[in-house]
Amino acid sequence: MARTSRIEGFYKLPISERLKVVREFGGLTDDEAMALSGFGGIDPSIPDSMIENAVGSMPVPLGIAANFVINEKEYLVPMAIEEPSVVAAASNAARMALESGGFKTGCDPPVMIGQIQLTGIADPEGARSLILDRSEELLKMANEQDPMLVRVGGGAKGVEARVIDTRSGPQVIVHILVDVRDAMGANAVNTMAEALAPPLEKMTGGRVYLRILSNLAVHRLARASAIWRKEAIGGESVVDGIVEAYSFADADPYRCATHNKGIMNGIDAVMLATGNDTRAIEAGAHAYASISGSYKPLTRYEKTPEGDLQGSIELPMAVGLIGGATKVHPTARASVKLLGVKTAGELAEIAAAVGLAQNFAALRALATEGIQKGHMSLHARNIAISAGCPAEFVDEVVKVMVSERKVRMDRAAEIVEDLKKSRQRT
Ligand code: MEV
């Protein structure tokens, strides 16, 4: 039979049948098929209800970052990430901030933006004024969509209208500002945006195309700051090195992309562990980093009058505790319980603190011994395992490769052979 990805009724098949099809298609061995279909102790019906055509799950390592004291409260922070060194770096950075009391954090109310795009309007400025004049009416209509949200103190709270110049002429963009309480908010906001489209068309004579939430959640920022005492981080030259590293990122988008990537190593890992939408957070973070017109670091550093390092972070944090994977996925549920967070804002603040810690750790390493030393032994472990090194030899192979500074698959295989031979001799 011809190999095809067009599989009639694939989505209707039970998981075991889907897996058979996939296995044949990919020429997978028993072990490979098993690796794809692992559910990591989770009832297969859960992934099957979360996405389409599920055949398994992709277990990502989950580590726990220690030493986090945020607003004087102790946290163990679950982080799901495949990259070595990230969890250790966050824990170390948090430990070094302990002396000065850990992290101070805060956040805005959970207000998201829903956008409604109005096109073909003859008098865009006039339409803009009209929309603003009738905003109470629009808010009432929006809130009729979600009485539950209104009952718990959320709901549509404001209307903005902007005229933008586009390649197809001026457009009027309406923003409905919705307090989504402890949800990420996409469903509530999109429903309201869709409901407002017909009345807005009637009001302005325009034609609505898009009705969708914006991930640039500028009204839902989270902030964290910490002071690292110079003695706790290796002295004043380290403080200076980190301030210089920050200036580099501030002045150069090539460096800034990597600087912000390091921040997102921490934030995404907390987001993934708690079942949040990592792509939404990434999109918001990078758009916010560019909001001035040039791409800037999400963190800032300065030297205090005492010669210590003051670091801070601010970014949009559209996180949820209700709805989506956070409530459905058992690992996410357990992670939220471990954190003991009661509101989406508290989770947003923790993630911001972890992002700052992660960035501090990376800059400290980069401004001193370099990043490779810390990475080396975990990287060497991965290489040894990828080279097929038996578990009993892994520690020894890692030790030799790191001491030789030759962390390569071929070298790992050679060392394994040597170890096997020497075992045979003894
Ligand atoms: C690697 O995942 C992250 C770093 O590159 C971040 C940085 O350079 O600041 C170490």
Side-chain angles (χ1 to χ4, degrees), residues 108-389:
D108 295 337
V111 173
M112 297 296 287
I113 300 169
Q115 295 195 292
I116 303 142
Q117 176 200 26
L118 276 160
T119 65
I121 295 185
D123 173 12
E125 287 301 338
R128 180 178 168 273
S129 306
L130 185 66
I131 291 163
L132 292 177
D133 285 347
R134 294 179 65 178
S135 58
E136 284 307 318
E137 202 182 313
L138 292 166
L139 289 175
K140 189 164 170 283
M141 276 186 266
N143 281 328
E144 278 161 11
Q145 303 304 310
D146 204 334
M148 263 294 276
L149 184 59
V150 176
R151 211 169 304 144
V152 295
K157 305 280 185 191
V159 175
E160 294 172 345
R162 300 156 52 223
V163 177
I164 59 169
D165 273 327
T166 78
R167 56 202 306 147
S168 28
Q171 297 183 357
V172 179
I173 308 301
V174 182
H175 286 184
I176 172 102
L177 308 185
V178 187
D179 183 325
V180 295
R181 299 281 87 198
D182 288 320
M184 184 273 186
N187 278 329
V189 170
N190 293 340
T191 305
M192 289 184 184
E194 289 190 6
L196 292 190
L200 280 167
E201 282 184 335
K202 211 160 144 212
M203 215 179 265
T204 61
R207 158 94 205 255
V208 168
Y209 283 93
L210 270 60
R211 297 139 293 164
I212 186 76
L213 157 139
S214 169
N215 288 119
L216 180 50
V218 290
H219 301 297
R220 200 180 186 180
L221 302 177
R223 299 170 194 87
S225 65
I227 290 186
W228 281 275
R229 297 246 160 85
K230 55 180 181 297
E231 302 78 21
I233 65 174
E236 202 153 345
S237 68
V238 177
V239 174
D240 292 338
I242 293 174
V243 173
E244 292 290 347
Y246 162 60
S247 319
F248 180 11
D250 188 55
D252 177 29
Y254 292 91
R255 170 58 205 151
C256 193
T258 323
H259 178 106
N260 286 343
K261 190 272 182 184
I263 295 171
M264 301 316 287
N265 275 346
I267 292 180
D268 282 355
V270 178
M271 292 297 99
L272 196 56
T274 55
N276 272 284
D277 181 343
T278 52
R279 290 85 53 213
I281 298 292
E282 282 278 344
H286 294 289
Y288 189 65
S290 316
I291 205 154
S292 66
S294 17
Y295 185 66
K296 291 289 179 185
L298 293 162
T299 51
R300 287 163 184 269
Y301 292 92
E302 59 192 35
K303 197 171 172 175
T304 66
E306 296 74 34
D308 298 329
L309 182 73
Q310 150 102 50
S312 60
I313 185 169
E314 179 184 77
L315 78 168
M317 267 294 174
V319 308
L321 283 184
I322 55 171
T326 307
K327 264 281 179 280
V328 176
H329 198 293
T331 313
R333 280 212 308 266
S335 293
V336 170
K337 184 165 177 191
L338 170 65
L339 283 168
V341 290
K342 297 285 177 274
T343 63
E346 189 181 353
L347 178 57
E349 291 177 28
I350 294 169
V354 174
L356 175 62
Q358 205 68 53
N359 181 236
F360 161 83
L363 299 189
R364 179 170 177 268
L366 288 165
T368 56
E369 63 188 16
I371 209 83
Q372 281 311 86
K373 191 164 168 233
H375 270 217
M376 208 49 107
S377 56
L378 277 169
H379 174 59
R381 183 163 287 272
N382 278 344
I383 292 288
I385 293 166
S386 319
C389 174

Side-chain angles (χ1 to χ4, degrees), residues 4 29 37 64 88 94 144 178 181 193 216 235 241 311 314 322 324 327 343 399 413-414 416 419 425:
T4 173
T29 64
S37 66
I64 306 292
E144 278 161 11
V178 187
R181 299 281 87 198
L216 180 50
E314 179 184 77
I322 55 171
K327 264 281 179 280
T343 63
K399 208 163 113 196
E414 275 170 21
V416 169
L419 287 169
R425 280 199 296 272

Side-chain angles (χ1 to χ4, degrees), residues 376 380 396-407:
M376 208 49 107
E396 189 59 24
V397 171
V398 167
K399 208 163 113 196
V400 177
M401 286 199 296
V402 170
S403 70
E404 294 177 346
R405 294 187 153 265
K406 276 192 203 155
V407 182

